[in-house]
mmCIF file with all atom_site columns, all heavy atoms in Angstrom:
data_model
loop_
_atom_site.group_PDB
_atom_site.id
_atom_site.type_symbol
_atom_site.label_atom_id
_atom_site.label_alt_id
_atom_site.label_comp_id
_atom_site.label_asym_id
_atom_site.label_entity_id
_atom_site.label_seq_id
_atom_site.pdbx_PDB_ins_code
_atom_site.Cartn_x
_atom_site.Cartn_y
_atom_site.Cartn_z
_atom_site.occupancy
_atom_site.B_iso_or_equiv
_atom_site.pdbx_formal_charge
_atom_site.auth_seq_id
_atom_site.auth_comp_id
_atom_site.auth_asym_id
_atom_site.auth_atom_id
_atom_site.pdbx_PDB_model_num
ATOM 1   N N   . ASN L 1 1  ? -12.864 -1.657  -13.835 1.00 0.00 ? 106 ASN L N   1
ATOM 2   C CA  . ASN L 1 1  ? -13.582 -2.224  -14.971 1.00 0.00 ? 106 ASN L CA  1
ATOM 3   C C   . ASN L 1 1  ? -13.189 -3.666  -15.255 1.00 0.00 ? 106 ASN L C   1
ATOM 4   O O   . ASN L 1 1  ? -13.854 -4.342  -16.052 1.00 0.00 ? 106 ASN L O   1
ATOM 5   C CB  . ASN L 1 1  ? -13.313 -1.393  -16.237 1.00 0.00 ? 106 ASN L CB  1
ATOM 6   C CG  . ASN L 1 1  ? -14.117 -0.113  -16.276 1.00 0.00 ? 106 ASN L CG  1
ATOM 7   O OD1 . ASN L 1 1  ? -15.191 -0.038  -15.706 1.00 0.00 ? 106 ASN L OD1 1
ATOM 8   N ND2 . ASN L 1 1  ? -13.577 0.890   -16.940 1.00 0.00 ? 106 ASN L ND2 1
ATOM 9   N N   . THR L 1 2  ? -12.100 -4.125  -14.617 1.00 0.00 ? 107 THR L N   1
ATOM 10  C CA  . THR L 1 2  ? -11.542 -5.435  -14.945 1.00 0.00 ? 107 THR L CA  1
ATOM 11  C C   . THR L 1 2  ? -11.838 -6.492  -13.891 1.00 0.00 ? 107 THR L C   1
ATOM 12  O O   . THR L 1 2  ? -12.128 -7.644  -14.224 1.00 0.00 ? 107 THR L O   1
ATOM 13  C CB  . THR L 1 2  ? -10.012 -5.315  -15.137 1.00 0.00 ? 107 THR L CB  1
ATOM 14  O OG1 . THR L 1 2  ? -9.748  -4.364  -16.167 1.00 0.00 ? 107 THR L OG1 1
ATOM 15  C CG2 . THR L 1 2  ? -9.401  -6.647  -15.528 1.00 0.00 ? 107 THR L CG2 1
ATOM 16  N N   . VAL L 1 3  ? -11.745 -6.146  -12.629 1.00 0.00 ? 108 VAL L N   1
ATOM 17  C CA  . VAL L 1 3  ? -11.917 -7.152  -11.576 1.00 0.00 ? 108 VAL L CA  1
ATOM 18  C C   . VAL L 1 3  ? -13.375 -7.575  -11.460 1.00 0.00 ? 108 VAL L C   1
ATOM 19  O O   . VAL L 1 3  ? -14.292 -6.901  -11.940 1.00 0.00 ? 108 VAL L O   1
ATOM 20  C CB  . VAL L 1 3  ? -11.414 -6.629  -10.216 1.00 0.00 ? 108 VAL L CB  1
ATOM 21  C CG1 . VAL L 1 3  ? -9.929  -6.363  -10.270 1.00 0.00 ? 108 VAL L CG1 1
ATOM 22  C CG2 . VAL L 1 3  ? -12.177 -5.368  -9.798  1.00 0.00 ? 108 VAL L CG2 1
ATOM 23  N N   . SER L 1 4  ? -13.573 -8.689  -10.793 1.00 0.00 ? 109 SER L N   1
ATOM 24  C CA  . SER L 1 4  ? -14.915 -9.237  -10.596 1.00 0.00 ? 109 SER L CA  1
ATOM 25  C C   . SER L 1 4  ? -15.817 -8.257  -9.848  1.00 0.00 ? 109 SER L C   1
ATOM 26  O O   . SER L 1 4  ? -15.345 -7.467  -9.012  1.00 0.00 ? 109 SER L O   1
ATOM 27  C CB  . SER L 1 4  ? -14.821 -10.542 -9.805  1.00 0.00 ? 109 SER L CB  1
ATOM 28  O OG  . SER L 1 4  ? -16.089 -10.958 -9.353  1.00 0.00 ? 109 SER L OG  1
ATOM 29  N N   . LEU L 1 5  ? -17.086 -8.308  -10.138 1.00 0.00 ? 110 LEU L N   1
ATOM 30  C CA  . LEU L 1 5  ? -18.048 -7.462  -9.435  1.00 0.00 ? 110 LEU L CA  1
ATOM 31  C C   . LEU L 1 5  ? -18.154 -7.845  -7.965  1.00 0.00 ? 110 LEU L C   1
ATOM 32  O O   . LEU L 1 5  ? -18.660 -7.068  -7.150  1.00 0.00 ? 110 LEU L O   1
ATOM 33  C CB  . LEU L 1 5  ? -19.420 -7.561  -10.107 1.00 0.00 ? 110 LEU L CB  1
ATOM 34  C CG  . LEU L 1 5  ? -19.501 -6.969  -11.525 1.00 0.00 ? 110 LEU L CG  1
ATOM 35  C CD1 . LEU L 1 5  ? -20.891 -7.215  -12.124 1.00 0.00 ? 110 LEU L CD1 1
ATOM 36  C CD2 . LEU L 1 5  ? -19.203 -5.476  -11.494 1.00 0.00 ? 110 LEU L CD2 1
ATOM 37  N N   . GLY L 1 6  ? -17.648 -9.020  -7.625  1.00 0.00 ? 111 GLY L N   1
ATOM 38  C CA  . GLY L 1 6  ? -17.651 -9.438  -6.227  1.00 0.00 ? 111 GLY L CA  1
ATOM 39  C C   . GLY L 1 6  ? -16.388 -9.060  -5.480  1.00 0.00 ? 111 GLY L C   1
ATOM 40  O O   . GLY L 1 6  ? -16.267 -9.321  -4.277  1.00 0.00 ? 111 GLY L O   1
ATOM 41  N N   . THR L 1 7  ? -15.455 -8.443  -6.177  1.00 0.00 ? 112 THR L N   1
ATOM 42  C CA  . THR L 1 7  ? -14.185 -8.046  -5.568  1.00 0.00 ? 112 THR L CA  1
ATOM 43  C C   . THR L 1 7  ? -14.358 -6.795  -4.708  1.00 0.00 ? 112 THR L C   1
ATOM 44  O O   . THR L 1 7  ? -14.998 -5.830  -5.122  1.00 0.00 ? 112 THR L O   1
ATOM 45  C CB  . THR L 1 7  ? -13.142 -7.773  -6.673  1.00 0.00 ? 112 THR L CB  1
ATOM 46  O OG1 . THR L 1 7  ? -12.852 -9.001  -7.339  1.00 0.00 ? 112 THR L OG1 1
ATOM 47  C CG2 . THR L 1 7  ? -11.869 -7.199  -6.084  1.00 0.00 ? 112 THR L CG2 1
ATOM 48  N N   . SER L 1 8  ? -13.771 -6.827  -3.515  1.00 0.00 ? 113 SER L N   1
ATOM 49  C CA  . SER L 1 8  ? -13.828 -5.669  -2.611  1.00 0.00 ? 113 SER L CA  1
ATOM 50  C C   . SER L 1 8  ? -12.642 -4.747  -2.897  1.00 0.00 ? 113 SER L C   1
ATOM 51  O O   . SER L 1 8  ? -11.654 -4.709  -2.155  1.00 0.00 ? 113 SER L O   1
ATOM 52  C CB  . SER L 1 8  ? -13.813 -6.128  -1.150  1.00 0.00 ? 113 SER L CB  1
ATOM 53  O OG  . SER L 1 8  ? -14.958 -6.903  -0.861  1.00 0.00 ? 113 SER L OG  1
ATOM 54  N N   . LEU L 1 9  ? -12.760 -4.009  -3.990  1.00 0.00 ? 114 LEU L N   1
ATOM 55  C CA  . LEU L 1 9  ? -11.701 -3.099  -4.396  1.00 0.00 ? 114 LEU L CA  1
ATOM 56  C C   . LEU L 1 9  ? -11.682 -1.888  -3.472  1.00 0.00 ? 114 LEU L C   1
ATOM 57  O O   . LEU L 1 9  ? -12.706 -1.260  -3.239  1.00 0.00 ? 114 LEU L O   1
ATOM 58  C CB  . LEU L 1 9  ? -11.913 -2.661  -5.849  1.00 0.00 ? 114 LEU L CB  1
ATOM 59  C CG  . LEU L 1 9  ? -10.912 -1.661  -6.421  1.00 0.00 ? 114 LEU L CG  1
ATOM 60  C CD1 . LEU L 1 9  ? -9.511  -2.247  -6.463  1.00 0.00 ? 114 LEU L CD1 1
ATOM 61  C CD2 . LEU L 1 9  ? -11.344 -1.222  -7.822  1.00 0.00 ? 114 LEU L CD2 1
ATOM 62  N N   . ASN L 1 10 ? -10.499 -1.544  -2.975  1.00 0.00 ? 115 ASN L N   1
ATOM 63  C CA  . ASN L 1 10 ? -10.356 -0.420  -2.063  1.00 0.00 ? 115 ASN L CA  1
ATOM 64  C C   . ASN L 1 10 ? -9.377  0.581   -2.660  1.00 0.00 ? 115 ASN L C   1
ATOM 65  O O   . ASN L 1 10 ? -8.449  0.209   -3.379  1.00 0.00 ? 115 ASN L O   1
ATOM 66  C CB  . ASN L 1 10 ? -9.836  -0.920  -0.707  1.00 0.00 ? 115 ASN L CB  1
ATOM 67  C CG  . ASN L 1 10 ? -10.280 -0.026  0.442   1.00 0.00 ? 115 ASN L CG  1
ATOM 68  O OD1 . ASN L 1 10 ? -10.496 1.172   0.258   1.00 0.00 ? 115 ASN L OD1 1
ATOM 69  N ND2 . ASN L 1 10 ? -10.390 -0.611  1.629   1.00 0.00 ? 115 ASN L ND2 1
ATOM 70  N N   . TYR L 1 11 ? -9.569  1.861   -2.346  1.00 0.00 ? 116 TYR L N   1
ATOM 71  C CA  . TYR L 1 11 ? -8.678  2.899   -2.879  1.00 0.00 ? 116 TYR L CA  1
ATOM 72  C C   . TYR L 1 11 ? -8.492  4.026   -1.882  1.00 0.00 ? 116 TYR L C   1
ATOM 73  O O   . TYR L 1 11 ? -9.431  4.496   -1.259  1.00 0.00 ? 116 TYR L O   1
ATOM 74  C CB  . TYR L 1 11 ? -9.241  3.481   -4.178  1.00 0.00 ? 116 TYR L CB  1
ATOM 75  C CG  . TYR L 1 11 ? -8.602  4.810   -4.547  1.00 0.00 ? 116 TYR L CG  1
ATOM 76  C CD1 . TYR L 1 11 ? -7.297  4.867   -5.023  1.00 0.00 ? 116 TYR L CD1 1
ATOM 77  C CD2 . TYR L 1 11 ? -9.291  6.016   -4.378  1.00 0.00 ? 116 TYR L CD2 1
ATOM 78  C CE1 . TYR L 1 11 ? -6.692  6.075   -5.337  1.00 0.00 ? 116 TYR L CE1 1
ATOM 79  C CE2 . TYR L 1 11 ? -8.696  7.235   -4.688  1.00 0.00 ? 116 TYR L CE2 1
ATOM 80  C CZ  . TYR L 1 11 ? -7.395  7.265   -5.158  1.00 0.00 ? 116 TYR L CZ  1
ATOM 81  O OH  . TYR L 1 11 ? -6.806  8.455   -5.456  1.00 0.00 ? 116 TYR L OH  1
ATOM 82  N N   . ARG L 1 12 ? -7.267  4.451   -1.734  1.00 0.00 ? 117 ARG L N   1
ATOM 83  C CA  . ARG L 1 12 ? -6.890  5.706   -1.092  1.00 0.00 ? 117 ARG L CA  1
ATOM 84  C C   . ARG L 1 12 ? -5.657  6.228   -1.811  1.00 0.00 ? 117 ARG L C   1
ATOM 85  O O   . ARG L 1 12 ? -4.773  5.449   -2.155  1.00 0.00 ? 117 ARG L O   1
ATOM 86  C CB  . ARG L 1 12 ? -6.573  5.508   0.397   1.00 0.00 ? 117 ARG L CB  1
ATOM 87  C CG  . ARG L 1 12 ? -7.791  5.371   1.297   1.00 0.00 ? 117 ARG L CG  1
ATOM 88  C CD  . ARG L 1 12 ? -7.335  5.095   2.730   1.00 0.00 ? 117 ARG L CD  1
ATOM 89  N NE  . ARG L 1 12 ? -8.422  5.182   3.696   1.00 0.00 ? 117 ARG L NE  1
ATOM 90  C CZ  . ARG L 1 12 ? -9.287  4.206   3.953   1.00 0.00 ? 117 ARG L CZ  1
ATOM 91  N NH1 . ARG L 1 12 ? -9.184  3.064   3.292   1.00 0.00 ? 117 ARG L NH1 1
ATOM 92  N NH2 . ARG L 1 12 ? -10.236 4.367   4.852   1.00 0.00 ? 117 ARG L NH2 1
ATOM 93  N N   . SER L 1 13 ? -5.567  7.529   -1.975  1.00 0.00 ? 118 SER L N   1
ATOM 94  C CA  . SER L 1 13 ? -4.380  8.056   -2.656  1.00 0.00 ? 118 SER L CA  1
ATOM 95  C C   . SER L 1 13 ? -3.145  7.869   -1.788  1.00 0.00 ? 118 SER L C   1
ATOM 96  O O   . SER L 1 13 ? -2.074  7.527   -2.275  1.00 0.00 ? 118 SER L O   1
ATOM 97  C CB  . SER L 1 13 ? -4.566  9.526   -3.017  1.00 0.00 ? 118 SER L CB  1
ATOM 98  O OG  . SER L 1 13 ? -4.606  10.331  -1.855  1.00 0.00 ? 118 SER L OG  1
ATOM 99  N N   . GLY L 1 14 ? -3.263  8.140   -0.483  1.00 0.00 ? 119 GLY L N   1
ATOM 100 C CA  . GLY L 1 14 ? -2.184  7.851   0.453   1.00 0.00 ? 119 GLY L CA  1
ATOM 101 C C   . GLY L 1 14 ? -1.050  8.858   0.476   1.00 0.00 ? 119 GLY L C   1
ATOM 102 O O   . GLY L 1 14 ? -0.415  9.050   1.505   1.00 0.00 ? 119 GLY L O   1
ATOM 103 N N   . ALA L 1 15 ? -0.761  9.477   -0.656  1.00 0.00 ? 120 ALA L N   1
ATOM 104 C CA  . ALA L 1 15 ? 0.354   10.426  -0.722  1.00 0.00 ? 120 ALA L CA  1
ATOM 105 C C   . ALA L 1 15 ? 0.066   11.476  -1.783  1.00 0.00 ? 120 ALA L C   1
ATOM 106 O O   . ALA L 1 15 ? -0.548  11.189  -2.810  1.00 0.00 ? 120 ALA L O   1
ATOM 107 C CB  . ALA L 1 15 ? 1.658   9.699   -1.042  1.00 0.00 ? 120 ALA L CB  1
ATOM 108 N N   . LEU L 1 16 ? 0.504   12.699  -1.511  1.00 0.00 ? 121 LEU L N   1
ATOM 109 C CA  . LEU L 1 16 ? 0.398   13.746  -2.515  1.00 0.00 ? 121 LEU L CA  1
ATOM 110 C C   . LEU L 1 16 ? 1.476   13.517  -3.583  1.00 0.00 ? 121 LEU L C   1
ATOM 111 O O   . LEU L 1 16 ? 2.479   12.863  -3.323  1.00 0.00 ? 121 LEU L O   1
ATOM 112 C CB  . LEU L 1 16 ? 0.582   15.116  -1.860  1.00 0.00 ? 121 LEU L CB  1
ATOM 113 C CG  . LEU L 1 16 ? -0.468  15.480  -0.804  1.00 0.00 ? 121 LEU L CG  1
ATOM 114 C CD1 . LEU L 1 16 ? -0.056  16.748  -0.067  1.00 0.00 ? 121 LEU L CD1 1
ATOM 115 C CD2 . LEU L 1 16 ? -1.838  15.647  -1.438  1.00 0.00 ? 121 LEU L CD2 1
ATOM 116 N N   . PRO L 1 17 ? 1.277   14.057  -4.787  1.00 0.00 ? 122 PRO L N   1
ATOM 117 C CA  . PRO L 1 17 ? 2.262   13.767  -5.846  1.00 0.00 ? 122 PRO L CA  1
ATOM 118 C C   . PRO L 1 17 ? 3.691   14.167  -5.515  1.00 0.00 ? 122 PRO L C   1
ATOM 119 O O   . PRO L 1 17 ? 4.624   13.360  -5.657  1.00 0.00 ? 122 PRO L O   1
ATOM 120 C CB  . PRO L 1 17 ? 1.728   14.554  -7.040  1.00 0.00 ? 122 PRO L CB  1
ATOM 121 C CG  . PRO L 1 17 ? 0.274   14.655  -6.824  1.00 0.00 ? 122 PRO L CG  1
ATOM 122 C CD  . PRO L 1 17 ? 0.122   14.785  -5.339  1.00 0.00 ? 122 PRO L CD  1
ATOM 123 N N   . PHE L 1 18 ? 3.901   15.396  -5.087  1.00 0.00 ? 123 PHE L N   1
ATOM 124 C CA  . PHE L 1 18 ? 5.268   15.900  -5.023  1.00 0.00 ? 123 PHE L CA  1
ATOM 125 C C   . PHE L 1 18 ? 5.648   16.521  -3.685  1.00 0.00 ? 123 PHE L C   1
ATOM 126 O O   . PHE L 1 18 ? 6.707   17.127  -3.559  1.00 0.00 ? 123 PHE L O   1
ATOM 127 C CB  . PHE L 1 18 ? 5.497   16.938  -6.125  1.00 0.00 ? 123 PHE L CB  1
ATOM 128 C CG  . PHE L 1 18 ? 5.136   16.454  -7.493  1.00 0.00 ? 123 PHE L CG  1
ATOM 129 C CD1 . PHE L 1 18 ? 4.329   17.216  -8.330  1.00 0.00 ? 123 PHE L CD1 1
ATOM 130 C CD2 . PHE L 1 18 ? 5.582   15.228  -7.957  1.00 0.00 ? 123 PHE L CD2 1
ATOM 131 C CE1 . PHE L 1 18 ? 3.990   16.765  -9.600  1.00 0.00 ? 123 PHE L CE1 1
ATOM 132 C CE2 . PHE L 1 18 ? 5.251   14.772  -9.226  1.00 0.00 ? 123 PHE L CE2 1
ATOM 133 C CZ  . PHE L 1 18 ? 4.452   15.541  -10.047 1.00 0.00 ? 123 PHE L CZ  1
ATOM 134 N N   . GLN L 1 19 ? 4.793   16.398  -2.677  1.00 0.00 ? 124 GLN L N   1
ATOM 135 C CA  . GLN L 1 19 ? 5.133   17.001  -1.399  1.00 0.00 ? 124 GLN L CA  1
ATOM 136 C C   . GLN L 1 19 ? 4.592   16.157  -0.256  1.00 0.00 ? 124 GLN L C   1
ATOM 137 O O   . GLN L 1 19 ? 3.687   15.341  -0.438  1.00 0.00 ? 124 GLN L O   1
ATOM 138 C CB  . GLN L 1 19 ? 4.561   18.417  -1.297  1.00 0.00 ? 124 GLN L CB  1
ATOM 139 C CG  . GLN L 1 19 ? 3.039   18.488  -1.232  1.00 0.00 ? 124 GLN L CG  1
ATOM 140 C CD  . GLN L 1 19 ? 2.529   19.909  -1.189  1.00 0.00 ? 124 GLN L CD  1
ATOM 141 O OE1 . GLN L 1 19 ? 2.877   20.708  -2.029  1.00 0.00 ? 124 GLN L OE1 1
ATOM 142 N NE2 . GLN L 1 19 ? 1.698   20.205  -0.199  1.00 0.00 ? 124 GLN L NE2 1
ATOM 143 N N   . LYS L 1 20 ? 5.160   16.380  0.900   1.00 0.00 ? 125 LYS L N   1
ATOM 144 C CA  . LYS L 1 20 ? 4.766   15.634  2.090   1.00 0.00 ? 125 LYS L CA  1
ATOM 145 C C   . LYS L 1 20 ? 3.330   15.952  2.465   1.00 0.00 ? 125 LYS L C   1
ATOM 146 O O   . LYS L 1 20 ? 2.848   17.076  2.307   1.00 0.00 ? 125 LYS L O   1
ATOM 147 C CB  . LYS L 1 20 ? 5.699   16.010  3.247   1.00 0.00 ? 125 LYS L CB  1
ATOM 148 C CG  . LYS L 1 20 ? 5.493   15.222  4.522   1.00 0.00 ? 125 LYS L CG  1
ATOM 149 C CD  . LYS L 1 20 ? 6.528   15.635  5.565   1.00 0.00 ? 125 LYS L CD  1
ATOM 150 C CE  . LYS L 1 20 ? 6.317   14.848  6.860   1.00 0.00 ? 125 LYS L CE  1
ATOM 151 N NZ  . LYS L 1 20 ? 7.306   15.229  7.899   1.00 0.00 ? 125 LYS L NZ  1
ATOM 152 N N   . ASN L 1 21 ? 2.615   14.924  2.934   1.00 0.00 ? 126 ASN L N   1
ATOM 153 C CA  . ASN L 1 21 ? 1.234   15.142  3.373   1.00 0.00 ? 126 ASN L CA  1
ATOM 154 C C   . ASN L 1 21 ? 1.194   16.188  4.486   1.00 0.00 ? 126 ASN L C   1
ATOM 155 O O   . ASN L 1 21 ? 2.006   16.159  5.410   1.00 0.00 ? 126 ASN L O   1
ATOM 156 C CB  . ASN L 1 21 ? 0.622   13.838  3.894   1.00 0.00 ? 126 ASN L CB  1
ATOM 157 C CG  . ASN L 1 21 ? 0.451   12.800  2.796   1.00 0.00 ? 126 ASN L CG  1
ATOM 158 O OD1 . ASN L 1 21 ? 0.751   13.060  1.638   1.00 0.00 ? 126 ASN L OD1 1
ATOM 159 N ND2 . ASN L 1 21 ? -0.034  11.628  3.167   1.00 0.00 ? 126 ASN L ND2 1
ATOM 160 N N   . LEU L 1 22 ? 0.243   17.090  4.417   1.00 0.00 ? 127 LEU L N   1
ATOM 161 C CA  . LEU L 1 22 ? 0.119   18.141  5.426   1.00 0.00 ? 127 LEU L CA  1
ATOM 162 C C   . LEU L 1 22 ? -0.457  17.601  6.728   1.00 0.00 ? 127 LEU L C   1
ATOM 163 O O   . LEU L 1 22 ? -0.150  18.104  7.811   1.00 0.00 ? 127 LEU L O   1
ATOM 164 C CB  . LEU L 1 22 ? -0.762  19.270  4.880   1.00 0.00 ? 127 LEU L CB  1
ATOM 165 C CG  . LEU L 1 22 ? -0.227  19.968  3.622   1.00 0.00 ? 127 LEU L CG  1
ATOM 166 C CD1 . LEU L 1 22 ? -1.195  21.047  3.156   1.00 0.00 ? 127 LEU L CD1 1
ATOM 167 C CD2 . LEU L 1 22 ? 1.151   20.562  3.886   1.00 0.00 ? 127 LEU L CD2 1
ATOM 168 N N   . ASN L 1 23 ? -1.273  16.577  6.621   1.00 0.00 ? 128 ASN L N   1
ATOM 169 C CA  . ASN L 1 23 ? -1.870  15.960  7.804   1.00 0.00 ? 128 ASN L CA  1
ATOM 170 C C   . ASN L 1 23 ? -1.016  14.765  8.234   1.00 0.00 ? 128 ASN L C   1
ATOM 171 O O   . ASN L 1 23 ? -0.843  13.821  7.467   1.00 0.00 ? 128 ASN L O   1
ATOM 172 C CB  . ASN L 1 23 ? -3.291  15.500  7.477   1.00 0.00 ? 128 ASN L CB  1
ATOM 173 C CG  . ASN L 1 23 ? -4.026  14.972  8.691   1.00 0.00 ? 128 ASN L CG  1
ATOM 174 O OD1 . ASN L 1 23 ? -3.432  14.705  9.737   1.00 0.00 ? 128 ASN L OD1 1
ATOM 175 N ND2 . ASN L 1 23 ? -5.327  14.799  8.559   1.00 0.00 ? 128 ASN L ND2 1
ATOM 176 N N   . PRO L 1 24 ? -0.468  14.759  9.436   1.00 0.00 ? 129 PRO L N   1
ATOM 177 C CA  . PRO L 1 24 ? 0.384   13.645  9.867   1.00 0.00 ? 129 PRO L CA  1
ATOM 178 C C   . PRO L 1 24 ? -0.383  12.337  10.055  1.00 0.00 ? 129 PRO L C   1
ATOM 179 O O   . PRO L 1 24 ? 0.228   11.267  10.082  1.00 0.00 ? 129 PRO L O   1
ATOM 180 C CB  . PRO L 1 24 ? 0.968   14.138  11.196  1.00 0.00 ? 129 PRO L CB  1
ATOM 181 C CG  . PRO L 1 24 ? -0.019  15.134  11.694  1.00 0.00 ? 129 PRO L CG  1
ATOM 182 C CD  . PRO L 1 24 ? -0.586  15.808  10.477  1.00 0.00 ? 129 PRO L CD  1
ATOM 183 N N   . LYS L 1 25 ? -1.690  12.428  10.204  1.00 0.00 ? 130 LYS L N   1
ATOM 184 C CA  . LYS L 1 25 ? -2.498  11.218  10.352  1.00 0.00 ? 130 LYS L CA  1
ATOM 185 C C   . LYS L 1 25 ? -2.874  10.688  8.966   1.00 0.00 ? 130 LYS L C   1
ATOM 186 O O   . LYS L 1 25 ? -3.445  11.403  8.157   1.00 0.00 ? 130 LYS L O   1
ATOM 187 C CB  . LYS L 1 25 ? -3.758  11.507  11.162  1.00 0.00 ? 130 LYS L CB  1
ATOM 188 C CG  . LYS L 1 25 ? -3.478  11.866  12.614  1.00 0.00 ? 130 LYS L CG  1
ATOM 189 C CD  . LYS L 1 25 ? -4.769  12.021  13.396  1.00 0.00 ? 130 LYS L CD  1
ATOM 190 C CE  . LYS L 1 25 ? -4.482  12.301  14.878  1.00 0.00 ? 130 LYS L CE  1
ATOM 191 N NZ  . LYS L 1 25 ? -5.722  12.439  15.672  1.00 0.00 ? 130 LYS L NZ  1
ATOM 192 N N   . ASN L 1 26 ? -2.542  9.442   8.705   1.00 0.00 ? 131 ASN L N   1
ATOM 193 C CA  . ASN L 1 26 ? -2.782  8.867   7.386   1.00 0.00 ? 131 ASN L CA  1
ATOM 194 C C   . ASN L 1 26 ? -3.047  7.374   7.540   1.00 0.00 ? 131 ASN L C   1
ATOM 195 O O   . ASN L 1 26 ? -2.143  6.601   7.856   1.00 0.00 ? 131 ASN L O   1
ATOM 196 C CB  . ASN L 1 26 ? -1.562  9.108   6.479   1.00 0.00 ? 131 ASN L CB  1
ATOM 197 C CG  . ASN L 1 26 ? -1.794  8.599   5.068   1.00 0.00 ? 131 ASN L CG  1
ATOM 198 O OD1 . ASN L 1 26 ? -2.901  8.246   4.689   1.00 0.00 ? 131 ASN L OD1 1
ATOM 199 N ND2 . ASN L 1 26 ? -0.732  8.560   4.277   1.00 0.00 ? 131 ASN L ND2 1
ATOM 200 N N   . TRP L 1 27 ? -4.281  6.974   7.334   1.00 0.00 ? 132 TRP L N   1
ATOM 201 C CA  . TRP L 1 27 ? -4.642  5.569   7.512   1.00 0.00 ? 132 TRP L CA  1
ATOM 202 C C   . TRP L 1 27 ? -4.276  4.718   6.289   1.00 0.00 ? 132 TRP L C   1
ATOM 203 O O   . TRP L 1 27 ? -4.246  3.489   6.350   1.00 0.00 ? 132 TRP L O   1
ATOM 204 C CB  . TRP L 1 27 ? -6.140  5.438   7.787   1.00 0.00 ? 132 TRP L CB  1
ATOM 205 C CG  . TRP L 1 27 ? -6.547  4.030   8.118   1.00 0.00 ? 132 TRP L CG  1
ATOM 206 C CD1 . TRP L 1 27 ? -7.270  3.172   7.359   1.00 0.00 ? 132 TRP L CD1 1
ATOM 207 C CD2 . TRP L 1 27 ? -6.221  3.316   9.312   1.00 0.00 ? 132 TRP L CD2 1
ATOM 208 N NE1 . TRP L 1 27 ? -7.424  1.965   7.983   1.00 0.00 ? 132 TRP L NE1 1
ATOM 209 C CE2 . TRP L 1 27 ? -6.787  2.024   9.193   1.00 0.00 ? 132 TRP L CE2 1
ATOM 210 C CE3 . TRP L 1 27 ? -5.493  3.638   10.472  1.00 0.00 ? 132 TRP L CE3 1
ATOM 211 C CZ2 . TRP L 1 27 ? -6.657  1.054   10.190  1.00 0.00 ? 132 TRP L CZ2 1
ATOM 212 C CZ3 . TRP L 1 27 ? -5.361  2.670   11.462  1.00 0.00 ? 132 TRP L CZ3 1
ATOM 213 C CH2 . TRP L 1 27 ? -5.942  1.397   11.312  1.00 0.00 ? 132 TRP L CH2 1
ATOM 214 N N   . ALA L 1 28 ? -3.958  5.381   5.167   1.00 0.00 ? 133 ALA L N   1
ATOM 215 C CA  . ALA L 1 28 ? -3.761  4.664   3.909   1.00 0.00 ? 133 ALA L CA  1
ATOM 216 C C   . ALA L 1 28 ? -2.752  3.514   4.001   1.00 0.00 ? 133 ALA L C   1
ATOM 217 O O   . ALA L 1 28 ? -3.013  2.425   3.464   1.00 0.00 ? 133 ALA L O   1
ATOM 218 C CB  . ALA L 1 28 ? -3.367  5.644   2.811   1.00 0.00 ? 133 ALA L CB  1
ATOM 219 N N   . PRO L 1 29 ? -1.589  3.662   4.639   1.00 0.00 ? 134 PRO L N   1
ATOM 220 C CA  . PRO L 1 29 ? -0.649  2.535   4.695   1.00 0.00 ? 134 PRO L CA  1
ATOM 221 C C   . PRO L 1 29 ? -1.215  1.317   5.413   1.00 0.00 ? 134 PRO L C   1
ATOM 222 O O   . PRO L 1 29 ? -0.875  0.176   5.072   1.00 0.00 ? 134 PRO L O   1
ATOM 223 C CB  . PRO L 1 29 ? 0.556   3.107   5.456   1.00 0.00 ? 134 PRO L CB  1
ATOM 224 C CG  . PRO L 1 29 ? 0.441   4.580   5.325   1.00 0.00 ? 134 PRO L CG  1
ATOM 225 C CD  . PRO L 1 29 ? -1.021  4.871   5.281   1.00 0.00 ? 134 PRO L CD  1
ATOM 226 N N   . HIS L 1 30 ? -2.085  1.564   6.391   1.00 0.00 ? 135 HIS L N   1
ATOM 227 C CA  . HIS L 1 30 ? -2.634  0.461   7.183   1.00 0.00 ? 135 HIS L CA  1
ATOM 228 C C   . HIS L 1 30 ? -3.562  -0.430  6.365   1.00 0.00 ? 135 HIS L C   1
ATOM 229 O O   . HIS L 1 30 ? -3.760  -1.602  6.703   1.00 0.00 ? 135 HIS L O   1
ATOM 230 C CB  . HIS L 1 30 ? -3.384  1.006   8.398   1.00 0.00 ? 135 HIS L CB  1
ATOM 231 C CG  . HIS L 1 30 ? -2.519  1.780   9.338   1.00 0.00 ? 135 HIS L CG  1
ATOM 232 N ND1 . HIS L 1 30 ? -1.848  1.199   10.389  1.00 0.00 ? 135 HIS L ND1 1
ATOM 233 C CD2 . HIS L 1 30 ? -2.204  3.110   9.375   1.00 0.00 ? 135 HIS L CD2 1
ATOM 234 C CE1 . HIS L 1 30 ? -1.160  2.114   11.052  1.00 0.00 ? 135 HIS L CE1 1
ATOM 235 N NE2 . HIS L 1 30 ? -1.362  3.293   10.450  1.00 0.00 ? 135 HIS L NE2 1
#
């Protein structure tokens, strides 16, 4: 709601709250 409408905002959760990701493949850090 704050950034410019021209901003390329990207989102991925990347990690579960309290446990290791079940899937070893995770593009989020990249």
Side-chain angles (χ1 to χ4, degrees):
N106 282 332
T107 302
V108 296
S109 168
L110 293 176
T112 294
S113 297
L114 178 63
N115 208 331
Y116 163 73
R117 282 177 170 82
S118 68
L121 298 171
F123 307 131
Q124 67 182 53
K125 185 177 180 180
N126 294 358
L127 299 179
N128 186 346
K130 293 185 177 181
N131 183 11
W132 186 251
H135 298 270

